[in-house]
């Protein structure tokens, strides 16, 4: 017996609705409910068997304050009605099971009395459907009539036989504990058989225009069938408005009341607002059009608000009959098809295929727009009831929330008339008492809020009037072409620093240090020191309580904030002999200073003694601009020790140990030539950023730094900082004259500020607790302050994406502690690593942007028959290939990070950037992140450990013709569109591996990878007649055989004897292969009439059994002709190297309605297949002695009756459109380690395409 259980489905979001604080979304055949504020999933429910949810409509049972809702869900030709009760537990009762109609449903609306539902179909018809309930909606009980969850299966109280009925059972119901809802969230179903579906269709009305509708919108202004109006969008670019109450013709059809023309493409959505008299349409012509509806007689009652107005059917009918509908605005803003629009009280929102969210005002002007789903189309949009939040669902499977506070457009505010505007004569007396900072703090009035100090710019911008502190007026000439230019003064701002969100420090060229209090709008003199003249650098401590000031003479002053908010000098010490080039905080009590000639000194601040103690002294390797630009410390294995990682202005990274002054390791030019900008430790990993536009993830292995991942920020050339706020990776970037606050996880800009570029003094502080983002910078000699909120910029992510576009390949990596780690590649050119554990516990671990074109193939370098070079199952060598004939090799490692080390790295030793907030916020961040990743925490006898994955790019290769020396000697690449379609790889020795790639140009290419040099070399190639689609390895004893398949329907077998023998010779020169290397063709079979998309080999004996010279295998193929073909193979080998293959046809079956794209053996006689028809079928290979047996699945064998046939044992509908393939991995029932037992019959199945679905297959006897 084979059972299929869904573990995870993530695909396009095809329906979206927001009610109160809940988000209801349709994904495949499932309905999910999430919390709008936290994003937590409350429940999930399978509403359809083989249909996709296209729409959701919600109506309260009594009134808007009622917490009981009737939910109508439709998709394709199916309809389901649910009852949602907002009680503790958030339960859902299925009122009407899946009902299928003859035509596609394009819209549905519940009548006000909830006794009927009105449906619009794709052939321009309206149906009134009666809802029959067994009880009153308020009296629906959840005792003894509903299913309760027991583990992952459902059991009926007193009726356990209900479990066997799959059509009324959801085996994927989950329970979730959330902060907002302390009770458990359950989705329960029950079987309703009290009514006959056919008798519930009361009325069906057709329109005289029997055209195909792409969209429709039903309006029930009086809440009943008699007032129903259908706004129908046709394929002829028209909007037809008609209702069932209109006068019919002799055939009973109803003519349209209005016909609106104007679009130049098919219509995709129609929306209507009765309160605003507005109708919006979106179309294939990339426009949003607004239509004005003006009735002859007003329909609204001016004395009552729109929410309380009630209309009768006569009013509504007359409203539509007499209305004058005209085109109001044509809105151009999208670059592709516009899918949907949303009418709000203050604006109109549209989303489309170009991933844009456009916000328009009522006059049709584009207010703002942004990219929402990383290049993937946005299918749906909805808004919260208070219209403060916008929710979008995309083709990447993600659901995101956005702030609709479009009136909040923060801008930088200049501080024009500060103390730098004063001349020497106007400078007030300042006490020169360095030890008493608070005594030398004269209060300087604000520039705009004080009567004694003001500035006024005349209309012609020719004169600038300044009134000094003593009231003496002076008038100076200001440039007419630059009205913001200030009068020249002897002093000017040189450096800025930011402490918290309201204390701004400004160092002047004269050596004075001022503070601007944003709350009181006053300037205060903090310090005046001649040693600070002409040069000064300032750095804020990580705890936002101290600031360090470095000078030319090597002296560092450290100031701290007292209890009353005033500044006092805390330390003064000479940290370097000469100019201090850089000053960096490594913790709240540890600081690094870099002096001349690359001299690096770390100091420890002793708070109690009030002194500074020297800890370490290191030397930076020689380079241009020889000083440290970024540094962090990571915990060491030595008790109380740590390692120092430094980045310099030459773009290099250096690792220092305590006992050595020279670096233990140096990685030259890792961030280009312009320098490393920041280093931060998070969850045991080191993240570096640089002025090459990249963020790199690094890890310390065996006292050395290894690069795991490289993330290139889109359209950015300068990444200045990396930070983590509540676990979210963020980057501070500069591009051109703008600063961008970038969300690395979602690959989008959060905030963008025009500041003039990164070559200036600036400071930034981001605080989640204060909900503030403050940016303080100098521009044209004037300090500017930019303030904005963070909560509306970092909105909760309702659902994570899997892949922004189609997934073309998937490779499993590890299965540890019940978690399966896998890699995906697709059309978006990214390599993504994910993990999945229990139902719906999916997490994206890594996104690598390195390929220049799409990724079509992924494979592991297997080591059967050879020693595992990694030494354990915690490291995998991964090969990726795709467009532009580009192949890359990766090392993916599974790391066990100690939770104790992570906490110490985050609080005490970690280089927590000053922009990351206070210690309180970081503690909260670690706590929230641990809660979020609770499925990845495992315990041993001593301490907790967290599983993480690192991905390091080892090498890359591209096929090019011609010389790379000069452009004159270059030859054109004749076929630049060559793609690698499939790959297979395996180790020959513990240091050498063979990589075989099937290409679209019909060439089978063989590469050799050397682990010592970490290089690949092309050693052999074999041309075929057609495009190659698949290649697999068939290892036989000490030999290796390949099987390739192409678009000609043939499967060809190749012998790699010469290549393997050459690699096994001692001291082999990989870069100098002999010309005699080749692939010898052994045999071929004509398996299909057209292309072979899938190929799987089932071994009857161990492939590396050296005692046997006869190997029996079963080959299964699936192709474009919708057929499955099964072949029996016997491979004979001899000691002298002779190999012979005998192939015999067994059977074929047509089990799918379209081409087969995935095929895998899961046991000796069980086979699983998938197709573009979105079906997953498990087949059993049966043997019979009867000569008259006829297969039920369409078995076809020329000649006599077959002795072997395929029988379909079970099937499932997958919610993944355009299925590209499947992958199977055996797992342990105890989910503790990778399965190595042949008796374990639990398999994990991955089906991928436009999305991903994961199943668990149990081939054992009995129920799962």
């Amino acid at each position: 017996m084979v059972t299929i259980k869904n573990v995870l489905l993530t695909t396009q979001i095809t329906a979206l609705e927001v009610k109160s604080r809940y988000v209801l979304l349709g994904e495949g055949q499932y309905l999910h409910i999430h919390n709008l504020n936290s994003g937590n999933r409350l429940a999930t429910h399978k509403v359809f068997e083989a249909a996709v949810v296209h729409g959701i409509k919600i109506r309260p049972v009594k009134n808007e304050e009622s917490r009981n809702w009737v939910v109508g869900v439709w998709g394709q030709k199916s309809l389901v009605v649910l009852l949602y009760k907002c009680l503790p537990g958030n339960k859902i009762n299925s009122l009407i099971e899946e009902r299928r109609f003859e035509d596609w449903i394009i819209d549905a609306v519940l009548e006000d009395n909830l006794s009927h539902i009105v449906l619009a179909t794709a052939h321009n018809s309206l149906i009134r459907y009666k809802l029959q309930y067994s009880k009153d909606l308020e009296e629906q009980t959840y005792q003894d009539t509903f299913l309760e969850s027991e583990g992952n299966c459902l059991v009926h109280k007193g009726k356990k036989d209900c479990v066997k009925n799959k059509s009324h059972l959801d085996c994927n119901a989950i329970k979730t504990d959330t902060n907002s809802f302390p009770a458990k969230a359950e989705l329960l179903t029950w079987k309703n058989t009290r009514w006959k579906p056919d008798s519930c269709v009361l009325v069906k009305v057709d329109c005289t225009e029997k055209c195909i509708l792409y969209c429709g919108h039903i309006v029930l202004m009086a809440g009943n069938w008699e007032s129903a109006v259908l706004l129908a969008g046709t394929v002829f670019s028209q909007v037809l408005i008609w209702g069932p109450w209109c006068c019919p013709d002799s055939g009973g059809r109803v003519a349209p009341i209005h016909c609106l023309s104007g679009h130049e493409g098919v219509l995709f959505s129609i929306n209507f607002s009765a309160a605003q008299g507005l109708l919006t349409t979106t179309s294939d012509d990339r426009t949003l059009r607004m239509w004005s509806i003006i009735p002859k007689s007003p329909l609204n009652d001016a004395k009552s608000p729109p929410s309380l107005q009630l209309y009768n059917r006569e009013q509504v009918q007359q409203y539509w009959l007499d209305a004058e509908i005209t085109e109001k605005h044509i809105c151009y803003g999208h670059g592709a098809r516009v899918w949907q629009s949303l009418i709000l009280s203050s604006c109109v929102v549209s989303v489309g295929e170009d991933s844009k969210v456009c916000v328009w005002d009522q006059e049709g002007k584009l207010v703002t727009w942004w990219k929402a789903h990383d290049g993937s189309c946005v299918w749906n949009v909805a808004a919260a009831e208070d219209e403060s939040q916008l929710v979008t669902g995309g083709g990447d499977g993600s659901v995101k929330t956005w702030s609709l506070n479009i009136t909040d457009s923060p801008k930088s505010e200049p501080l024009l008339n500060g103390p730098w505007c004063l001349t020497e004569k106007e400078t007030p007396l300042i006490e020169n008492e360095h030890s008493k900072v608070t005594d030398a703090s004269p209060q300087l009035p604000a520039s705009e809020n004080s009567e004694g100090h003001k500035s006024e710019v005349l209309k012609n911008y020719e004169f600038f009037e300044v009134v000094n502190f003593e009231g003496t007026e002076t008038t100076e000439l200001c440039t007419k072409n630059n009205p913001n230019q200030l009068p020249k003064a002897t002093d000017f701002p040189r450096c800025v620093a930011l402490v918290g969100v309201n204390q701004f420090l400004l160092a002047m060229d004269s050596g004075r240090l001022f503070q601007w209090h944003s709350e009181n709008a006053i300037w205060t003199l903090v310090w005046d020191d001649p040693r600070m003249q002409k040069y000064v650098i300032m750095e804020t401590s990580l705890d936002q309580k101290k600031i360090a000031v470095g000078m030319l003479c090597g002296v560092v002053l450290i100031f701290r904030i007292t209890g009353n908010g005033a500044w006092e000098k805390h330390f003064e010490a000479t940290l370097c002999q000469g100019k201090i080039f850089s000053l960096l905080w490594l913790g709240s009590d540890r600081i690094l200073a870099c002096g001349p000639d690359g001299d690096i000194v770390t100091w420890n601040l002793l708070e109690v003694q009030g002194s500074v103690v020297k800890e370490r002294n290191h030397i930076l390797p020689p380079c241009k601009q020889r000083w440290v630009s970024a540094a962090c410390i990571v915990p060491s294995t030595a008790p109380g020790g740590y390692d120092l990682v430094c980045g310099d202005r030459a773009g290099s990274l250096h690792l220092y140990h305590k006992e050595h002054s020279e670096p233990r390791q140096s990685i030259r030019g890792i961030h280009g030539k312009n320098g490393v900008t920041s280093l931060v430790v998070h969850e045991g990993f080191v993240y570096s950023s640089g002025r090459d536009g990249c963020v790199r993830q690094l890890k310390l292995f065996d006292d050395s730094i290894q690069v795991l991942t490289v993330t290139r920020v889109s359209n950015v050339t300068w990444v200045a900082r990396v930070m983590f706020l509540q676990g979210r990776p963020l980057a501070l970037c500069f591009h051109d004259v703008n600063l961008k606050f970038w969300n690395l996880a979602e690959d989008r800009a959060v905030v963008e500020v025009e500041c003039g570029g990164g070559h200036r003094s600036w400071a930034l502080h981001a605080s989640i607790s204060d909900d503030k983002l403050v940016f303080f910078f100098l521009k044209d000699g004037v300090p500017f302050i930019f303030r904005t909120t963070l909560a509306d910029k970092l909105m909760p992510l309702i659902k994570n994406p899997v892949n922004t576009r189609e997934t073309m390949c998937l490779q499993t990596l590890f299965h540890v502690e019940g978690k399966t780690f896998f890699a995906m590649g697709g059309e978006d050119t990214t390599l993504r690593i994910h993990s999945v554990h229990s139902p719906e516990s999916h997490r994206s671990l890594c996104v690598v942007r390195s390929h220049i074109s799409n990724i079509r193939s992924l494979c592991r370098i297997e080591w059967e028959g050879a020693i595992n070079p990694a030494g354990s199952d915690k490291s995998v060598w991964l090969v990726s290939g795709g467009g532009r004939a580009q192949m890359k090799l990766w090392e993916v490692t599974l790391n066990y990070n100690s939770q104790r080390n992570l906490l110490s790295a985050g609080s005490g030793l970690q280089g927590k950037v000053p922009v990351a907030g206070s210690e309180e916020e970081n503690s909260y961040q670690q706590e929230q992140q641990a809660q979020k990743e609770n499925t990845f925490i495992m315990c041993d006898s001593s301490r907790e450990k967290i599983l993480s994955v690192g991905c390091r790019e080892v090498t890359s290769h591209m096929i090019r013709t011609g010389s790379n020396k000069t452009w004159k000697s270059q030859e054109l690449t004749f076929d630049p569109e060559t793609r690698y379609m499939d790959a297979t790889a395996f180790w020959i020795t513990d240091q050498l591996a063979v990589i075989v790639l099937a290409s679209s140009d019909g060439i089978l290419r063989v590469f050799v990878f050397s682990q010592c040099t970490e290089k690949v070399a092309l050693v052999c190639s074999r041309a075929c007649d057609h495009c190659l689609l698949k290649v697999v390895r068939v290892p036989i004893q000490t030999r290796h055989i390949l099987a390739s398949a192409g678009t000609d329907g043939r499967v060809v077998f190749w012998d790699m004897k010469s290549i393997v023998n050459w690699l096994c010779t001692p001291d082999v020169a990989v870069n100098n292969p002999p010309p005699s290397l080749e692939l010898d063709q052994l045999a071929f079979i004509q398996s299909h009439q057209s292309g072979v998309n899938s190929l799987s080999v089932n071994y009857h004996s161990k492939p590396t059994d050296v005692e046997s010279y006869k190997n029996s295998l079963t080959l299964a193929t699936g192709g474009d002709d919708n057929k499955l073909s099964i072949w029996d193979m016997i491979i004979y080998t001899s000691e002298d190297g002779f190999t012979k293959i005998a192939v015999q046809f067994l059977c074929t079956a047509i089990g799918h309605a379209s081409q087969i794209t995935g095929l895998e053996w899961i046991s000796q006689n069980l086979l699983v297949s998938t197709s573009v028809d979105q079906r997953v079928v498990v087949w059993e290979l049966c043997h019979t002695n009867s000569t008259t047996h006829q297969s039920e699945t369409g078995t076809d064998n020329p000649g006599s009756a077959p002795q072997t046939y395929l029988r379909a044992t079970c099937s499932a509908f997958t919610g993944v459109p355009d299925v590209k393939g499947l992958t199977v991995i055996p797992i342990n029932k105890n989910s503790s380690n990778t399965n190595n037992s042949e008796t374990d019959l639990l398999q994990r199945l991955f089906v991928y395409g436009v999305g991903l679905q994961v199943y668990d297959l149990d081939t054992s006897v009995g129920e799962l």
Side-chain angles (χ1 to χ4, degrees), residues 59-71:
R59 278 293 180 91
V61 172
K62 285 187 175 181
N63 48 47
E64 291 296 333
E65 287 74 22
S66 174
R67 309 308 286 174
N68 299 335
W69 301 331
V70 174
V71 182

Side-chain angles (χ1 to χ4, degrees), residues 886-955:
Q886 186 180 31
M887 182 262 292
K888 288 182 177 290
L889 186 65
W890 315 82
E891 184 183 14
V892 184
T893 56
L894 186 64
N895 305 308
Y896 294 84
N897 297 321
S898 171
Q899 182 75 2
R900 181 185 306 172
N901 290 340
L902 294 183
L903 293 176
S904 62
S907 58
L909 295 179
Q910 183 216 8
K912 185 178 57 177
V913 293
V915 296
S918 62
E919 292 180 349
E920 210 172 290
E921 294 170 23
N922 284 273
S923 176
Y924 172 78
Q925 168 185 335
Q926 293 163 359
E927 180 182 352
Q928 293 296 319
Q929 186 70 6
Q931 293 177 3
K932 182 178 179 182
E933 300 169 356
N934 56 359
T935 58
F936 290 85
I937 297 178
M938 62 179 184
C939 300
D940 56 13
S941 58
S942 59
R943 57 188 177 185
E944 292 183 344
K945 294 183 179 180
I946 294 180
L947 292 175
S948 61
V949 171
C951 182
R952 178 176 70 95
E953 181 177 344
V954 179
T955 185

Side-chain angles (χ1 to χ4, degrees), residues 19-277:
K19 185 68 174 178
S20 183
R21 52 184 177 179
Y22 302 94
V23 179
L24 287 79
L25 58 96
E27 184 179 32
Q29 62 269 47
Y30 289 87
L31 172 70
H32 306 300
I33 300 178
H34 290 257
N35 185 348
L36 176 62
N37 298 325
S38 64
N40 296 328
R41 176 171 294 184
L42 305 178
T44 183
H45 180 55
K46 185 178 181 181
V47 292
F48 300 134
E49 287 296 326
V52 177
V53 177
H54 285 162
I56 304 169
K57 285 294 175 65
I58 306 172
R59 278 293 180 91
V61 172
K62 285 187 175 181
N63 48 47
E64 291 296 333
E65 287 74 22
S66 174
R67 309 308 286 174
N68 299 335
W69 301 331
V70 174
V71 182
V73 183
W74 72 91
Q76 296 178 347
K77 298 181 180 181
S78 299
L79 172 71
V80 168
V81 180
L82 310 171
L83 175 64
Y84 176 77
K85 285 202 168 186
C86 298
L87 297 172
N90 301 291
K91 299 180 180 179
I92 286 186
N93 175 20
S94 180
L95 296 176
I96 297 178
E97 298 291 342
E98 182 177 355
R99 168 71 168 91
R100 296 187 180 180
F101 295 83
E102 296 179 352
D103 199 359
W104 275 55
I105 303 172
I106 59 174
D107 196 18
V109 176
L110 291 157
E111 295 187 17
D112 284 351
N113 57 9
L114 302 179
S115 60
H116 301 81
I117 186 170
V118 182
L119 307 176
T121 62
H123 282 81
N124 208 2
S125 301
L126 282 174
I127 297 175
R128 193 184 192 196
Y129 188 85
K130 185 178 181 180
L131 304 179
Q132 293 184 349
Y133 312 115
S134 59
K135 295 181 181 180
D136 184 81
L137 293 177
E138 291 294 328
E139 297 177 357
Q140 291 285 343
T141 176
Y142 292 83
Q143 298 178 358
D144 301 325
T145 54
F146 305 107
L147 299 174
E148 293 184 349
S149 71
E150 184 179 273
N152 288 325
C153 297
L154 302 178
V155 180
H156 193 282
K157 290 187 178 181
K159 294 185 179 181
K160 295 186 178 180
D161 56 335
C162 293
V163 180
K164 299 180 181 179
N165 191 343
K166 292 199 304 180
S167 62
H168 303 290
L169 177 64
D170 180 15
C171 292
N172 306 300
I174 62 171
K175 297 182 177 181
T176 309
D177 291 329
T178 63
N179 297 329
S180 301
F181 301 90
K184 295 180 179 179
E186 303 179 16
L187 284 174
L188 311 174
T189 64
W190 66 295
K191 185 177 179 181
N192 189 342
T193 58
R194 299 176 184 270
W195 46 271
K196 295 181 179 180
D198 294 340
S199 63
C200 294
V201 178
L202 302 181
V203 183
K204 180 180 179 182
V205 181
D206 298 328
C207 182
T208 55
E209 298 289 340
K210 289 292 290 185
C211 56
I212 300 297
L213 306 184
Y214 268 35
C215 64
H217 183 72
I218 301 175
V219 181
L220 300 182
M221 298 178 66
N224 51 33
W225 167 262
E226 290 75 12
S227 65
V229 172
L230 175 61
L231 312 177
T234 71
V235 294
F236 302 112
S237 310
Q238 294 178 331
V239 179
L240 303 179
I241 302 177
W242 64 279
W245 40 267
C246 299
C247 296
D249 59 7
S250 59
R253 298 176 181 272
V254 175
I257 306 172
H258 302 278
C259 180
L260 309 180
S261 300
H263 280 287
E264 298 178 0
V266 296
L267 275 74
F268 292 130
S269 75
I270 302 175
N271 212 338
F272 170 71
S273 172
Q276 303 180 39

Side-chain angles (χ1 to χ4, degrees), residues 1235-1261:
N1235 174 45
N1236 294 319
S1237 174
E1238 297 179 357
T1239 61
D1240 195 354
L1241 301 178
L1242 188 62
Q1243 310 276 339
R1244 181 154 289 174
L1245 172 65
F1246 297 82
V1247 180
Y1248 54 89
V1250 185
L1252 171 69
Q1253 188 155 14
V1254 183
Y1255 297 98
D1256 277 350
L1257 305 180
D1258 194 348
T1259 58
S1260 61
V1261 179

Side-chain angles (χ1 to χ4, degrees), residues 350-627:
S350 63
V351 296
E353 191 179 23
D354 55 358
S355 192
K356 277 187 180 181
V357 178
C358 295
V359 181
W360 314 82
D361 61 11
Q362 301 293 347
E363 300 301 322
K365 295 181 180 179
L366 184 61
V367 178
T368 183
W369 67 272
W370 63 87
K371 290 277 189 176
H373 288 267
D374 194 16
S376 179
C377 64
V378 186
W379 287 113
N380 295 275
V381 60
E385 293 181 347
D386 59 356
E387 298 186 1
S388 62
Q389 289 177 270
L390 201 67
V391 184
T392 58
D396 57 354
S398 66
V399 180
K400 301 180 180 180
T401 57
W402 314 86
S403 174
L404 261 181
N405 187 15
I406 57 177
T407 59
D408 180 23
S409 300
K411 296 182 179 180
S412 302
E413 300 176 358
L415 302 178
L416 292 178
N417 295 320
W420 61 90
C421 296
L422 305 179
T423 61
E424 292 182 357
K425 298 180 180 180
E426 298 166 348
T427 305
L429 295 177
I430 301 176
E431 279 191 49
N432 195 13
E433 189 71 32
H434 291 195
S435 60
K436 297 180 180 180
V437 179
T438 54
D439 295 338
S441 301
Q443 301 295 316
L444 305 184
S447 59
E448 298 179 359
N449 299 331
S450 176
E451 297 180 356
H453 188 277
K454 64 180 180 179
S455 64
E456 179 181 356
V457 182
L458 301 182
K459 293 183 180 180
N460 57 4
Y461 302 110
E462 294 181 356
F463 295 95
F464 194 95
E465 183 182 13
V466 177
V467 180
N468 62 14
F469 297 111
E470 299 177 356
T472 305
E473 296 187 5
T474 60
T475 303
E476 299 182 14
L477 183 65
C478 186
T479 306
K480 184 175 182 179
N481 295 329
N482 186 7
N484 292 328
Q485 179 181 347
L486 299 176
K488 295 183 179 180
T490 57
D491 204 0
F492 60 89
R494 180 173 286 277
C495 185
V496 298
L498 178 61
V499 180
V501 296
N502 56 5
Q503 294 194 10
F504 305 87
L505 294 174
L506 183 68
M508 308 297 295
D509 183 67
S510 61
R512 295 181 297 171
L513 180 64
F514 288 95
Q515 178 186 0
W516 168 261
H517 299 270
S518 60
E519 296 178 351
N520 302 326
I522 60 174
W523 287 98
T524 303
L525 180 63
V526 176
W527 193 255
D528 187 8
D529 195 332
R531 296 175 296 179
M532 295 168 55
Q533 295 180 2
K534 306 301 179 183
Y535 178 84
V536 65
I537 57 174
M538 295 191 293
E539 188 76 13
T540 306
S541 64
L542 303 181
D543 57 3
Q544 298 292 302
K545 295 180 180 179
K546 295 184 288 291
I547 185 170
V549 180
M551 311 177 195
L552 277 171
C553 58
V555 175
V556 173
L557 300 177
I558 298 179
F559 301 92
R560 67 178 179 183
I561 303 177
T562 60
N564 57 0
W567 286 92
E568 67 175 3
K569 188 179 72 172
H570 189 40
F571 292 110
E572 179 179 346
T574 301
L575 303 186
C576 294
Q577 299 298 325
K579 177 182 177 180
I580 296 181
F581 285 88
S582 60
L583 203 59
L584 302 170
W585 288 91
L586 302 178
S588 59
D589 57 352
R590 185 175 286 109
I591 194 169
L592 178 146
C594 183
D597 300 326
D599 185 21
I600 304 173
V601 185
T602 58
W603 301 81
N604 191 12
L605 278 65
L606 303 179
E607 298 283 346
V608 179
Q609 292 81 358
S611 59
V612 181
V613 178
K614 182 178 180 180
E615 282 190 339
R616 297 185 179 184
N617 197 318
H618 303 289
I619 298 297
L620 198 66
C623 64
K624 188 179 180 180
Q625 296 180 339
R626 190 181 180 185
W627 67 80

